[in-house]
Amino acid sequence: MRAAVYHRFGGPDVVSIERMPRPEPRAGELLVRVHAASVSIADHRVRARDVPRGLRVPTMLALGIRRPKHAVLGMDAAGVVERVGADVTGFRPGDRVVLLRGARFGCHAEYTTVSASGAVARIPDELSFLDAAALPFGFGTAETFLEAGGVSAGNDVLVNGASGAVGSAAVQLAKQRGATVTAVTSAGNAGLVRELGADRVIDYAREDFAAEAARYDVVVECVGNAPYRRSARALRAGGVLLLVIADLAGMLGSKLRPVRGGIRRIQDVGAVTGAHLEQFARLAASGAIRPVIDRVYQLDQIREAHAYVDTGRKRGNVMLLLADQTA
Ligand SMILES: NC(=O)c1ccc[n+]([C@@H]2O[C@H](COP(=O)([O-])OP(=O)(O)OC[C@H]3O[C@@H](n4cnc5c(N)ncnc54)[C@H](OP(=O)(O)O)[C@@H]3O)[C@@H](O)[C@H]2O)c1
C-alpha cells in the first residue's frame, strides 16, 4: 500500500510517500481501506516535536527518542471495512466506518486497522467519508472535555480558540447541550464561529476575555495562553476550566495551585469511544453539527498539507484523500 511515512523529526519535508506492507487485522480487529483522514495539530506536534513547554521529555518517551515510533502519522480516518479479523462481530466487509486510532497513529495510509471494540462506528450513507473523517479528532476531544466538565443547559461557556478543529466542535457541542457560547477568535473567523452557533464573539486582538466583567461557568482552553491564573478571572465561583492544552507549568499549576471559589480544573478526560463516533456521525448526517473543513489535499500533497497545518491558522480541519472516490 501507499502511505505518508517519516523516519526523522522535522519540517514537512521529512514526510514522503512510500510503499509498505498492508497491515494484517489481528483477532478482534478490522482492516479498513482509508478514503479520508485528517492532518491534525497532533501530527504537527509529533512530527516537529513542537510540544508545549516542559512536555518534550515525556512526549519523546511516548513517541520516540531518536526516531519516530510510528512512521505513519494520522490519528483518524473514514473508509470501508476490507476484512475482519477472527472473533469480530458487529462489523463486516463493505461497512462504511469512521475511526480514531489516536496516539497509535497510522491513518495516513491506504489501509489501517482498528479494534472492533474500540473507537470505530458505522456511518450513515448520506455522510461523506470526508465529513466523517473530520469528526473524531475535534469532536472527540471537545465532547470528552464537555462531558468531564458536566456542561449543561443554561451554562455560560467560553471557548478560547473557537475556530480550530477542537474549538469549532466545542462551540457546536456546547450549543447542543443548551449552553450559551462565547467564542474567542480572530476577526477573520468571527463569521464562521457565529455560523456554528456562537452567541457572542470576542476578537482576541482587540479584547482580553479575562479582563472583561463577564463571568462564565465554563472556559474551554484550546489555545495554550489561558491557564488557570488567567482563566480564573473569567470564571464564576464553582466554575470549570477545561484545559484542552497546557504547558507543564500550567498542568502542574492546575493540580497544585490553590483554587478560589471552588473552581474545578480538568485536564484528564475519558477516551473517545465508538458510541461517541456513532453519535457524531448521526448528528452530522442530520445537519445538527457541521465538521468544518478548511482545505483538502491528495495523498501526494502530504507535505503541503503539513505545511498548512504548521501555520497554526487552519480553520477547523485539514483533510487528506487516500482513495479514488467521490468522498
Ligand atoms: N488534550 C487533548 O487530548 C487534546 C486533543 C486535541 C488537541 N489538543 C490541543 O488542543 C489545541 C487545539 O487543537 P486544534 O486541533 O483545535 O488546533 P488547530 O485547529 O490547529 O487551531 C488553529 C486555530 O487556532 C486559532 N488561534 C490561534 N491563536 C489563537 C489565539 N491566540 N486565540 C484564539 N484562537 C487562536 C486559529 O484561529 P485564528 O487564525 O483566528 O487565530 C486557528 O483557527 C492544540 O494545542 C492541541 O495540541 C489537545
Side-chain angles (χ1 to χ4, degrees), residues 41 45 137 141 161 163-166 186 189 204 222 244 313-314:
I41 185 144
R45 289 197 179 289
F137 185 84
T141 304
S163 54
V166 180
S186 64
N189 286 325
Y204 63 76
C222 306
V244 178
R313 297 260 94 88
K314 71 181 168 67

Side-chain angles (χ1 to χ4, degrees), residues 247-270:
D247 62 13
L248 183 64
M251 288 170 103
L252 292 176
S254 100
K255 291 211 194 293
L256 304 175
R257 203 179 258 262
V259 285
R260 71 156 177 78
I263 291 173
R264 286 188 298 140
R265 299 164 297 196
I266 296 176
Q267 61 195 24
D268 302 315
V269 296

Side-chain angles (χ1 to χ4, degrees), residues 66-91:
R66 284 162 176 273
R67 65 182 66 86
K69 191 165 164 186
H70 306 285
V72 178
L73 291 167
M75 284 193 160
D76 51 9
V80 177
V81 175
E82 177 90 3
R83 267 175 49 210
V84 302
D87 307 325
V88 167
T89 53
F91 292 93

Side-chain angles (χ1 to χ4, degrees), residues 40-42 45 50 52 75 137-138 140-142 144-145 159-168 184-190 192 202 204-205 221-225 230 243-246 267-269 294 309 311-318:
S40 72
I41 185 144
R45 289 197 179 289
D50 176 18
M75 284 193 160
F137 185 84
T141 304
T144 47
F145 274 90
V159 179
N160 187 39
S163 54
V166 180
S168 62
V184 181
T185 190
S186 64
N189 286 325
L192 168 71
I202 295 177
Y204 63 76
E221 157 57 331
C222 306
V223 175
N225 63 7
R230 178 171 177 221
L243 279 168
V244 178
I245 184 74
Q267 61 195 24
D268 302 315
V269 296
D294 185 340
V309 173
T311 65
R313 297 260 94 88
K314 71 181 168 67
R315 289 154 56 102
N317 299 274
V318 166

Side-chain angles (χ1 to χ4, degrees), residues 86-138:
D87 307 325
V88 167
T89 53
F91 292 93
R92 46 183 190 196
D95 284 349
R96 302 172 78 245
V97 293
V98 60
L99 64 98
L100 177 72
R101 280 177 59 94
R104 291 182 307 132
F105 294 92
C107 293
H108 293 170
E110 288 175 329
Y111 293 88
T112 194
T113 56
V114 66
S115 167
S117 59
V120 58
R122 260 190 298 276
I123 57 175
D125 288 344
E126 58 271 33
L127 187 65
S128 71
F129 291 119
L130 207 48
D131 281 344
L135 295 168
F137 185 84

